[in-house]
Amino acid sequence: MRRRRLVAQLFPSYLMIAALALLAVTWYVGRAWRASFLAQTATDLKVRADLVIPQFQGLLSPLQAGEVDRVCKELGRLSATRLTVILSSGRVVGDSDNEPAKMDNHGDRPEVRQALKGKIGVSTRHSYTEETPMMYVAAPLMEQDRVAAVVRASLPVAFIGRTLNGIYFKIALGGMGAALLAALLSLAMAHRLSRPLEEMKRVAQRFAQGDLRVKVPVPLSDEPASLAEALNYMAEQLDQRIRTITRQRQEQDAVLASMVEGVMAVDHQERIITLNQAGARLLGVDPDAARQRPIAEVVRHPDLQNFVDLALASPRQVEGEIIFRDAAPDRLLQIRGTPLRDAQGNAFGALIVLNDVTRLRRLEQARRDFVANVSHELKTPITSIKGFVETLLDGAIQEPDNAVNFLNIIARHADRLNAIIDDLLSLSRIEQDSDRGKIALAAGHIKEVLRKAVQACRERAAAKDIAIDLDCPEELATEINAPLLEQAVVNLIDNAVKYSPAGRPVRVEARVETGEVLILVKDQGSGIAPEHLSRLFERFYRVDPGRSRKVGGTGLGLAIVKHIAQAHGGYVTLQSAPGKGSTFFIHLPQV
Ligand code: ADP
């Protein structure tokens, strides 16, 4: 249906009501006026008849017809009224406008009949004499208590009509003026009524655009005011609710963004509803581009796809692990899927939580390897010790030469056990202290530390005819834990001596390079093949286990060096090639 403006609806109605009211009033006033005017005219005619009656008294008996007629004509002219004198016989003896002789008997005229009965006769009818509608008022002329004649005053109705029309015209003119005024007033009124509604519409449109801070002006009239107040209240409530929802959403986003776990919500069509930063990083996708797209389109990974299918189909939480081979090393993701339910408990998707457990699994593996390695390292000397003790018990103890020999071997294995346990203990102490921040660092001179380390190794080096050169600026200093750093350098020099042929010198150096304090231990020994370099600092990792054991190595020396460097906030590197010797570097931050 075509919608019309309120003004367009109100104005014609107002106008119609005003016009009808005016018409009714005009009609009623017109009628009342007419009735009143006719009554007034009748009274007026009666007064004129009454006024002229005395003029005819004395002219009737004896009858002076000529004189009556003359007086009639004279008075009729003066009063602008037609005057007629009719005898009780009905004969007309005087008439202001006509010749009585030519007039017929008027005894049958209704007003005359009334007057002949002694009353005032009034009649409005067609005049046969004048050939026009007239109003007549007839009054009896009494002589000795009897009606001697009737004096009749009359006026043509046309004259009355003309006067009435004049009045009607004025009423109509006034009515038109009033109608115009009413039209203007009703237009103003319609506008006044519709203006607050227009204003409300304008504000409601701004509400719809999201601007809920504007207020609808409250009009003075009761009903529009209630509507405006209701609108304002509604906007306030909406604003509050939207703010609450926005705040909750921001909190939820903040929680999701700060989570280490990847979180992804998918609907039943497997479209991604939510994906947090961590999830996007783990899956290697752009979170904004992924939203609302099917998971199969975003991540091409059959295992993940199957898991999402399973999570969507299952009413309970499901768990699994998937491997991502997109980067080296492979990443292992632990994945959990939980059905998402709405307030009515109907499932509408699934929440997938992803956890990168690559490091955890690597650590678990390292722990398992470590336990196996320790067991293996300890098992070898213990088996030997046990074997030699049994041999001695079986009788070898009776052979003094063998017995001493066996006991020396047992002592060597016991030393080895001791060395392994010492190294394990110092490694775990360094790790624990470092974790708890208990390793105290203080400004110290590097040269002093290196000198002591060289001193500690001097004897073993001399045994292999190996010279140890030391080159370090006296004033070189940084934040260090001197005993630990000395232990690290001793381990490196010890290795250099162990894995160098006799007579090849070892060089210990320290200097500042690219903002770091660099300590290096360089030998001209066997060197290390490249494939071992990445794992050399792991616990119990050896290039040649047999050789290491032979030279009294525990396989823990370099692991200790690495942890000491880390406890100083530094790190270790090495350069080596088979047959060309090795250089181990300890990098320390320069403070
Ligand atoms: P170990 O007690 O066996 O020496 P380390 O952790 O000190 O244990 O060293 C690990 C392995 O690294 C050694 O077994 C050896 O094979 C190799 N290595 C260490 N230092 C050197 C070096 N200076 N020259 C050649 N190989 C070395």
Side-chain angles (χ1 to χ4, degrees):
M1 210 173 94
R2 204 172 73 84
R3 291 189 336 195
R4 290 196 300 150
R5 292 189 63 206
L6 191 60
V7 173
Q9 288 185 40
L10 285 177
F11 180 57
S13 320
Y14 279 167
L15 207 59
M16 188 101 98
I17 292 165
L20 278 175
L22 267 168
L23 226 67
V25 167
T26 312
W27 179 79
Y28 179 76
V29 170
R31 265 183 68 96
W33 251 98
R34 188 184 152 83
S36 143
F37 184 76
L38 287 177
Q40 181 66 43
T41 310
T43 312
D44 198 29
L45 285 175
K46 182 185 169 290
V47 169
R48 289 182 202 189
D50 283 347
L51 277 173
V52 298
I53 279 176
Q55 305 292 326
F56 296 110
Q57 232 129 26
L59 295 177
L60 294 174
S61 45
L63 176 70
Q64 298 171 36
E67 186 59 17
V68 170
D69 191 44
R70 194 194 58 78
V71 172
C72 262
K73 287 192 167 52
E74 173 70 15
L75 292 177
R77 189 179 52 81
L78 287 173
S79 63
T81 315
R82 180 185 166 203
L83 289 174
T84 313
V85 178
I86 304 142
L87 294 180
S88 53
S89 61
R91 184 186 145 205
V92 180
V93 284
D95 191 285
S96 56
D97 296 8
N98 300 286
E99 279 309 310
K102 288 184 189 159
M103 291 168 70
D104 59 356
N105 188 302
H106 273 47
D108 60 341
R109 302 297 196 267
E111 71 280 1
V112 177
R113 278 215 304 258
Q114 282 286 323
L116 284 175
K117 286 179 194 161
K119 296 175 191 163
I120 300 292
V122 181
S123 170
T124 304
R125 58 180 174 75
H126 185 81
S127 160
Y128 296 101
T129 318
E130 297 284 337
E131 297 290 333
T132 176
M134 304 273 293
M135 178 186 246
Y136 301 96
V137 174
L141 194 160
M142 307 298 285
E143 258 176 15
Q144 288 143 21
D145 290 340
R146 69 175 193 90
V147 180
V150 171
V151 176
R152 189 180 75 171
S154 56
L155 274 174
V157 171
F159 169 74
I160 301 169
R162 261 201 312 280
T163 315
L164 270 176
N165 281 346
I167 292 164
Y168 282 156
F169 179 71
K170 279 180 191 151
I171 291 176
L173 212 64
M176 261 157 69
L180 200 71
L181 206 69
L184 286 176
L185 269 174
S186 61
L187 191 66
M189 190 79 159
H191 269 296
R192 211 183 121 110
L193 267 180
S194 67
R195 200 174 306 123
L197 294 177
E198 289 279 341
E199 181 68 8
M200 280 184 222
K201 183 183 103 182
R202 201 177 52 74
V203 177
Q205 277 168 345
R206 286 185 63 184
F207 287 168
Q209 285 159 7
D211 186 2
L212 293 167
R213 291 306 186 78
V214 283
K215 287 257 175 289
V216 181
V218 180
L220 292 173
S221 348
D222 188 27
E223 290 84 355
S226 303
L227 181 59
E229 277 163 5
L231 273 175
N232 284 339
Y233 180 69
M234 180 198 78
E236 215 171 280
Q237 293 288 311
L238 261 177
D239 192 34
Q240 254 175 35
R241 256 173 235 177
I242 289 173
R243 275 157 187 277
T244 310
I245 292 170
T246 312
R247 203 193 56 241
Q248 283 172 348
R249 172 128 215 148
Q250 283 167 348
E251 283 169 6
Q252 183 189 317
D253 284 352
V255 169
L256 284 177
S258 57
M259 277 176 78
V260 183
E261 291 88 358
V263 176
M264 174 171 70
V266 289
D267 64 12
H268 266 304
Q269 279 74 49
E270 299 190 357
R271 272 195 309 254
I272 297 174
I273 311 168
T274 310
L275 179 64
N276 72 347
Q277 303 281 324
R281 202 179 49 247
L282 289 176
L283 298 176
V285 298
D286 173 8
D288 295 325
R291 226 155 270 149
Q292 295 304 327
R293 283 177 57 203
I295 180 128
E297 244 179 53
V298 179
V299 192
R300 290 186 201 284
H301 195 294
D303 290 350
L304 178 69
Q305 185 66 45
N306 291 340
F307 184 84
V308 171
D309 290 346
L310 180 71
L312 283 171
S314 165
R316 273 175 294 280
Q317 193 182 69
V318 285
E319 276 192 42
E321 278 183 0
I322 52 174
I323 299 174
F324 269 77
R325 299 187 197 281
D326 52 349
D330 292 349
R331 286 183 300 128
L332 181 69
L333 299 191
Q334 189 187 50
I335 181 163
R336 270 197 313 277
T338 319
L340 281 173
R341 297 185 194 282
D342 60 17
Q344 282 73 46
N346 302 318
F348 66 90
L351 187 75
I352 311 288
V353 179
L354 301 155
N355 230 330
D356 190 346
V357 290
T358 318
R359 215 171 92 84
L360 192 73
R361 284 296 138 83
R362 218 182 290 143
L363 284 174
E364 282 172 2
Q365 188 58 44
R367 193 177 52 82
R368 276 198 294 273
D369 290 352
F370 178 68
V371 172
N373 286 338
V374 171
S375 312
H376 179 72
E377 289 297 328
L378 298 179
K379 185 103 185 140
T380 320
I382 285 173
T383 312
S384 300
I385 291 170
K386 200 165 170 262
F388 286 111
V389 169
E390 279 168 2
T391 315
L392 285 170
L393 287 175
D394 283 350
I397 199 159
Q398 308 302 336
E399 303 157 23
D401 287 353
N402 276 342
V404 170
N405 197 13
F406 289 166
L407 284 172
N408 276 333
I409 296 174
I410 289 172
R412 223 176 40 246
H413 282 299
D415 283 347
R416 189 171 154 62
L417 273 178
N418 201 32
I420 292 173
I421 287 164
D422 275 353
D423 276 359
L424 278 174
L425 283 175
S426 78
L427 193 60
S428 99
R429 205 167 34 243
I430 293 163
E431 261 184 321
Q432 277 184 9
D433 287 356
S434 168
D435 283 351
R436 294 183 198 143
K438 268 171 63 182
I439 291 182
L441 299 179
H445 284 103
I446 303 293
K447 181 138 192 193
E448 184 57 28
V449 175
L450 300 185
R451 198 180 293 126
K452 281 189 184 165
V454 170
Q455 194 58 44
C457 301
R458 189 80 74 191
E459 204 180 314
R460 267 166 282 166
K464 279 181 86 175
D465 195 18
I466 288 175
I468 307 174
D469 298 336
L470 174 59
D471 177 11
C472 174
E474 287 292 342
E475 67 287 358
L476 184 62
T478 188
E479 294 261 293
I480 52 167
N481 181 303
L484 281 183
L485 190 60
E486 185 187 323
Q487 187 184 347
V489 180
V490 165
N491 283 4
L492 292 180
I493 301 174
D494 212 26
N495 279 351
V497 172
K498 275 193 290 186
Y499 301 107
S500 291
R504 299 275 177 83
V506 170
R507 187 173 170 75
V508 180
E509 228 181 282
R511 60 172 183 261
V512 173
E513 202 172 284
T514 55
E516 290 178 332
V517 173
L518 205 61
I519 298 170
L520 55 95
V521 177
K522 187 177 177 158
D523 63 53
Q524 294 172 20
S526 55
I528 304 153
E531 65 266 27
H532 299 292
L533 297 184
S534 65
R535 300 195 58 195
L536 208 65
F537 291 93
E538 286 176 18
R539 288 154 215 218
F540 296 119
Y541 188 83
R542 296 176 173 104
V543 174
D544 178 353
R547 186 173 171 205
S548 162
R549 284 197 193 100
K550 220 166 93 194
V551 295
T554 59
L556 293 168
L558 288 181
I560 291 172
V561 174
K562 182 177 93 175
H563 279 92
I564 290 175
Q566 284 173 351
H568 280 79
Y571 56 99
V572 285
T573 54
L574 86 121
Q575 283 172 358
S576 185
K580 291 196 177 153
S582 316
T583 310
F584 286 81
F585 301 87
I586 298 177
H587 304 251
L588 299 179
Q590 191 190 20
V591 185

